[in-house]
């Protein structure tokens, strides 16, 4: 019993020992920036990958020139009827600026990023237009879904077999 | 004296089949805990890597269930090769796999296939994240593949316990494993978000369908008055415990890893709030209507779930109620799918009852 407990403990320690170096969270590396003038606020929009591709997640950062202290607001991403809005919150891995972490845009096209900011200098609105998002990488989505729903079809096949063999009530 | 000792030892020993069945159920429970923790982590804290604690729970859940299933299959195969009679109380009748290379009790075969499938979809998920980044989207194709794989293991767990439904441990295990499957399925149905957006809320309809299906299946497998109510009661307990656990675990883990909680976190436990709070009412309706055709009980269940869904969202998140037209259409479709789920659920319950070994007559 004691040996089993020791083995189990060693396995757990080994597991966490190996997991610890791999669990380091990646820093936010901005590779491209754009400028947006939202009323009195000049905002630098940072992207951790460029160009953008549909469904590919990245880190966005939003940095007003004089910092985020005392300011609040909303960022709205839109493409035609599609709209996604978020309150401007600090980026979890870059707390000195606002941001969206591992965030993806679902469709290709020319997106608009709109900022509504309130701060000591009053309110301001500004847009980054024609933010080009390219086609999604990888296989067509239909194929990905077909591969991913194989277990469901397997389950249906099991049900069909079981259905045929269990007609008699028990 | 020897006889007395033997009888006493027999009385103290663990019932045959209970140990591996408990490992499979324990594995599925670990997966459920990992899932609620992981969803809350992404909602409240954020960053993702392959090796997070919630992920370890998810992986180890499938690993525990898979290894237990494999051990049972290997032991059954070895026993058959020695010409020994295998007891069908352990996971049901053994079926040949790869010709007659392996003899696998059908319940453990299904739970094992689910665990093996989880491994394959884990690789698919890693490839996906390499291409698309570590997005925290539940309804991505590989995530749905992973969730479906775990669901298959959970179906195997229900089968393993339903085989022993004549025993107390089999009865309780059937109720518990059905409750775990029902709770987990509330996340799997989010895959319906991939359907084109229309007038109907496809996720609400999916929640109604799966809730009714598993409640009636569990009740049918148990085959006693109060079966649906027992499954719903266990789901309610899981919902209550996870309501406390999920935000707490996310915050404790964030503190341990030195990560901040996001700004403007709403504090709502994500997975527990996907489970219909009206499930006990649905179960009461199913119990009261058990003498009527299953479609009637199912339709009533689907109606209750889809009527209550926006009310629950409004209560929990403070969201506004939907417009009348999509609401009415969702309720109508929920009722229709509830009726279908009722029919299927009762039939699935009957299928599960077939798994139990036939009773031997006393004069045989």
């Amino acid at each position: 019993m004691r040996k089993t407990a020791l083995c189990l403990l060693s396995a757990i320690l080994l597991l966490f020992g190996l997991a610890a170096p791999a669990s380091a969270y990646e820093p936010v590396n901005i590779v491209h920036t754009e400028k947006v003038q939202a009323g009195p606020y000049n905002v630098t929009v940072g992207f951790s990958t460029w160009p953008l591709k549909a469904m590919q997640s990245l880190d966005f950062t939003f940095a007003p020139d004089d910092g985020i202290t005392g300011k609040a607001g909303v960022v709205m991403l839109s493409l035609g009827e599609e709209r996604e809005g978020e309150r401007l919150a600090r980026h979890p891995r870059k707390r000195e600026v606002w941001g969206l972490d591992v965030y993806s845009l679902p469709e290709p096209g020319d997106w608009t990023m709109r900022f509504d900011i309130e701060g000591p200098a009053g309110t301001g609105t500004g847009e980054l237009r024609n933010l080009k998002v390219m086609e999604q990488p990888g296989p067509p989505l239909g194929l990905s879904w077909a591969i991913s729903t194989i277990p469901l079809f397997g389950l249906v096949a099991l049900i069909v077999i079981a259905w045929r063999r269990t007609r008699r009530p028990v | 004296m020897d006889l007395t000792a033997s009888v006493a030892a027999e009385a103290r020993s663990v019932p045959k089949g209970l140990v591996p069945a408990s490992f499979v159920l324990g594995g599925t429970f670990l997966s459920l805990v990992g899932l609620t923790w992981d969803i809350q982590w992404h909602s409240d804290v954020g960053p993702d890597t392959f090796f997070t604690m919630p992920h370890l729970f998810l992986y180890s859940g499938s690993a525990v269930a898979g290894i237990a299933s494999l051990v049972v299959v290997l032991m059954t195969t070895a026993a058959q090769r020695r010409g020994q009679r295998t007891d069908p109380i352990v996971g049901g009748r053994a079926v040949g796999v790869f010709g007659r290379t392996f003899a696998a009790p059908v319940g453990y075969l299904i739970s094992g296939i689910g665990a093996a499938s989880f491994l394959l979809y884990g690789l698919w998920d890693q490839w996906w994240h390499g291409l698309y980044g570590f997005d925290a989207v539940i309804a991505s194709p590989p995530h749905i593949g992973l969730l479906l794989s775990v669901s298959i293991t959970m179906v195997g767990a229900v089968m393993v316990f339903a085989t022993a439904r004549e025993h107390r441990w089999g009865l309780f295990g059937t109720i518990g494993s059905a409750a775990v499957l029902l709770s987990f399925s509330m996340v799997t149905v989010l895959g319906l978000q991939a359907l084109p957006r229309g007038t109907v809320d496809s996720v609400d309809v999916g929640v109604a369908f799966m809730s009714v299906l598993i409640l009636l299946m569990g009740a049918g497998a148990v085959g006693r008055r109060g079966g649906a109510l027992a499954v719903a009661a266990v789901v309610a307990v899981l919902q209550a415990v996870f309501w406390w656990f999920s935000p707490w675990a996310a915050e404790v883990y964030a503190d341990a890893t030195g990560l901040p909680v996001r700004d403007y976190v709403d504090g709502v436990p994500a997975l527990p709030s996907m489970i219909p709070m009206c499930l006990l009412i649905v179960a009461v309706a199913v119990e009261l209507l058990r003498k009527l055709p299953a479609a009637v009980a199912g339709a009533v269940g689907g109606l209750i779930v889809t009527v209550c869904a926006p009310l629950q969202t409004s209560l929990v998140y403070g969201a506004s109620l939907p417009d009348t037209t999509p609401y009415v259409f969702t309720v109508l479709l929920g009722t229709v799918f509830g009726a279908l789920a009722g029919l299927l659920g009762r039939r699935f319950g009957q299928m599960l009852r077939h798994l139990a070994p036939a009773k031997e007559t006393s004069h045989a």
Side-chain angles (χ1 to χ4, degrees):
Chain A
M1 184 63 192
R2 191 176 291 176
K3 271 187 182 174
T4 313
L6 267 174
C7 284
L8 199 64
L9 190 66
S10 311
I12 290 169
L13 287 175
L14 190 65
L15 190 66
F16 284 103
L18 289 173
S23 66
Y25 296 101
E26 288 201 4
V28 180
N29 294 318
I30 298 302
V31 298
H32 179 83
T33 58
E34 297 278 346
K35 294 279 187 187
V36 177
Q37 192 65 44
Y41 310 106
N42 187 28
V43 181
T44 304
V45 182
F47 304 86
S48 66
T49 62
W50 190 264
L52 303 186
K53 291 177 184 170
M55 295 172 58
Q56 195 170 50
S57 56
L58 67 148
D59 290 304
F60 293 82
T61 58
F62 314 123
D65 280 354
D66 51 350
I68 60 172
T69 311
K71 300 188 186 79
V74 176
V75 58
M76 176 76 76
L77 290 139
S78 60
L79 174 75
E81 295 288 299
E82 189 108 35
R83 275 172 197 279
E84 299 180 10
E86 298 275 347
R87 287 172 79 176
L88 286 165
R90 286 174 294 174
H91 192 290
R93 284 169 292 131
K94 200 171 171 66
R95 302 278 282 170
E96 65 277 19
V97 295
W98 291 318
L100 301 169
D101 65 312
V102 283
Y103 192 88
S104 64
L105 295 167
E107 301 284 339
D110 291 329
W111 285 73
T112 299
M113 188 179 273
R114 177 193 159 107
F115 293 92
D116 294 311
I117 299 174
E118 265 183 46
T123 58
T125 297
E127 288 185 347
L128 174 62
R129 289 184 187 168
N130 298 322
L131 177 61
K132 190 165 272 309
V133 177
M134 299 164 76
E135 288 289 335
Q136 61 152 111
L141 207 52
L143 178 63
S144 298
W145 278 113
I147 293 170
S148 297
T149 47
I150 290 171
L152 182 63
F153 293 111
L155 200 56
V156 170
L158 170 75
I159 290 165
V160 170
I161 294 167
W163 192 293
R164 286 180 174 177
R165 293 186 180 182
T166 56
R167 290 186 193 279
R168 177 180 51 85
V170 181
Chain B
M1 185 67 185
D2 278 346
L3 184 66
T4 315
S6 164
V7 169
E10 186 84 5
R12 279 199 304 270
S13 67
V14 181
K16 196 166 191 183
L18 174 59
V19 172
S22 303
F23 270 99
V24 173
L25 179 57
T28 60
F29 184 68
L30 276 180
S31 297
L32 182 60
V33 171
L35 186 66
T36 188
W37 191 357
D38 194 42
I39 293 172
Q40 202 67 38
W41 170 257
H42 290 304
S43 150
D44 293 0
V45 185
D48 202 7
T49 70
F50 191 71
F51 288 103
T52 64
M53 280 294 280
H55 284 182
L56 283 178
F57 267 69
L58 272 166
Y59 308 142
S60 60
S62 279
V64 168
I67 291 168
S69 306
L70 183 64
V71 168
V72 173
V73 170
L74 293 178
M75 286 175 72
T76 309
T77 305
Q80 276 212 349
R81 288 192 179 176
R82 285 197 300 266
Q84 291 173 349
R85 185 178 165 274
T86 52
D87 191 342
I89 198 79
V90 185
R93 193 170 59 83
V95 294
V97 180
F98 301 130
R100 290 194 175 176
T101 312
F102 296 100
V106 65
Y108 288 101
L109 177 63
I110 301 303
S111 58
I113 287 174
S117 168
F118 184 87
L119 269 182
L120 293 175
Y121 280 100
L123 295 173
W124 169 228
D125 190 44
Q126 269 301 91
W127 178 83
W128 185 273
H129 283 311
L131 189 64
Y132 288 102
F134 264 93
D135 53 358
V137 179
I138 298 173
S140 74
H143 286 174
I144 295 300
L146 285 167
L147 295 174
L148 286 170
S149 301
V150 177
S151 302
I152 289 181
T153 299
M154 290 176 172
V155 168
V158 176
M159 291 170 74
V160 163
F161 282 101
T163 305
R165 67 184 161 81
E166 299 292 344
H167 302 265
R168 185 175 287 191
W169 66 269
L171 194 69
F172 289 154
T174 305
I175 292 164
S177 54
V180 169
L181 175 63
L182 196 156
S183 307
F184 194 88
S185 299
M186 300 301 102
V187 182
T188 313
V189 294
L190 292 181
L192 295 170
Q193 285 172 344
L195 293 176
R197 280 183 208 172
T199 316
V200 170
D201 188 325
S202 54
V203 173
D204 280 356
V205 175
V207 165
F209 180 81
M210 291 306 293
S211 305
V212 171
L213 178 83
I214 299 170
L215 268 189
L216 266 92
M217 181 189 77
V222 167
R224 297 178 188 204
R225 189 180 287 275
L229 210 49
V231 174
V234 177
V235 172
V237 170
L238 289 173
Q239 188 177 26
V241 172
F242 289 154
W243 200 277
W244 159 80
F245 170 80
S246 310
W248 173 82
E251 199 176 327
V252 166
Y253 188 44
D255 287 346
T257 47
L259 284 165
V261 173
R262 285 181 194 278
D263 293 340
Y264 313 123
V265 163
D266 58 18
V268 174
L271 185 146
S273 58
M274 295 175 199
I275 301 171
M277 291 173 176
C278 59
L279 209 61
L280 278 167
I281 301 170
V282 175
V284 169
V286 167
E287 294 292 344
L288 291 174
L289 302 171
R290 69 200 298 259
K291 297 258 168 79
L292 295 177
V296 176
V300 171
L303 177 81
I304 296 170
V305 173
T306 42
V307 163
C308 294
L311 306 178
Q312 181 168 326
T313 310
S314 175
L315 177 75
V316 173
Y317 290 101
S320 54
L321 291 171
D323 294 336
T324 311
T325 309
Y327 185 42
V328 169
F329 275 103
T330 303
V331 170
L332 282 176
L333 204 64
T335 308
V336 172
F337 271 83
L340 179 65
L343 287 169
L344 291 174
R346 194 165 283 180
R347 186 69 175 82
F348 291 175
Q350 188 189 325
M351 288 179 190
L352 288 168
R353 293 178 67 76
H354 271 269
L355 287 167
K359 280 179 191 166
E360 288 175 16
T361 52
S362 55
H363 54 80

